[in-house]
Amino acid sequence: MSKRSEAAPPRVWSRSVRLLHLGLIGSVTVAWVFREDLGPAHEVAGYVALGAAALRCAIGLAGQGHARFGQFVRAPSDTLGYARQVLRGTAPRYIGHNPLGGWMVLALLGCIGLLGASGWLYTTDLFWGYGWLAWLHAALGWTLLALVALHVGGVVFTSIAHRENLVKAMLTGRKAPPGPGDVDGSQPSGQNP
């Protein structure tokens, strides 16, 4: 691991991004815990998660810095190249989201959006009682659980690989300053670091 500069830790994630992240953790957890009863707690938690995901998408499109999708969502070829670097143990440290993390953000937000939409549809007169919709909603719930497990695994793996506490970084919004070989992520999407 290369030495990092002694500069002040840069702010990577804004308070709004961090609060939405925590809101998603809480609301998805509540929705999952109450998945069998499908009562008000499950429904309210689902709408909170859907709202938080929608706000995060708005920030991703119109926000600034490391919160913008265009800052951290890389082209598929760049992401596959990064995945090969991870497998070889030569992946650089990113100040914002790394390419795999960027695509994971999109997958998580997309899955939450589909879960919220399918849950809402199930409450409408037009779609009430359809088995295929209940099956789809349940399958999306399990898909989200798998994505969360992959996300947490990626955070743990990357924290160990780069000797950096990414959970603390998400709570404080700050990461260690860039060092030699680190990628600040400021290149537009689709360009190699």
Side-chain angles (χ1 to χ4, degrees):
M1 169 57 95
S2 60
K3 284 197 155 194
R4 296 191 184 105
S5 71
E6 298 299 321
R11 179 158 309 274
V12 178
W13 293 294
S14 67
R15 180 176 290 149
S16 58
V17 167
R18 291 178 289 138
L19 289 174
L20 288 171
H21 190 259
L22 291 173
L24 282 168
I25 292 169
S27 58
V28 167
T29 300
V30 170
W32 183 260
V33 167
F34 290 98
R35 71 188 180 280
E36 295 298 325
D37 117 14
L38 298 181
H42 178 83
E43 190 172 336
V44 169
Y47 287 131
V48 169
L50 184 59
L55 286 172
R56 180 59 183 96
C57 287
I59 291 171
L61 295 171
Q64 298 177 349
H66 293 282
R68 289 184 65 84
F69 294 147
Q71 189 275 333
F72 64 81
V73 177
R74 305 290 178 173
S77 60
D78 294 338
T79 304
L80 289 174
Y82 175 79
R84 284 190 286 273
Q85 289 177 311
V86 168
L87 292 174
R88 289 192 306 261
T90 61
R93 174 182 174 259
Y94 278 74
I95 300 305
H97 289 89
N98 65 48
L100 289 172
W103 282 98
M104 179 55 75
V105 169
L106 296 183
L108 288 164
L109 292 174
C111 191
I112 290 168
L114 291 171
L115 262 165
S118 64
W120 169 75
L121 281 175
Y122 203 71
T123 67
T124 64
D125 290 339
L126 184 60
F127 289 100
W128 174 255
Y130 279 88
W132 67 266
L133 188 57
W135 178 89
L136 176 64
H137 190 70
L140 288 167
W142 285 103
T143 301
L144 181 61
L145 184 65
L147 289 172
V148 167
L150 284 171
H151 175 57
V152 170
V155 167
V156 170
F157 177 85
T158 303
S159 292
I160 292 168
H162 297 294
R163 296 184 185 113
E164 178 171 45
N165 186 338
L166 292 177
V167 173
K168 180 181 176 186
M170 179 50 74
L171 292 173
T172 65
R174 296 187 181 278
K175 291 180 79 174
D182 290 349
V183 179
D184 71 5
S186 62
Q187 297 96 339
S189 181
Q191 292 184 3
N192 286 320

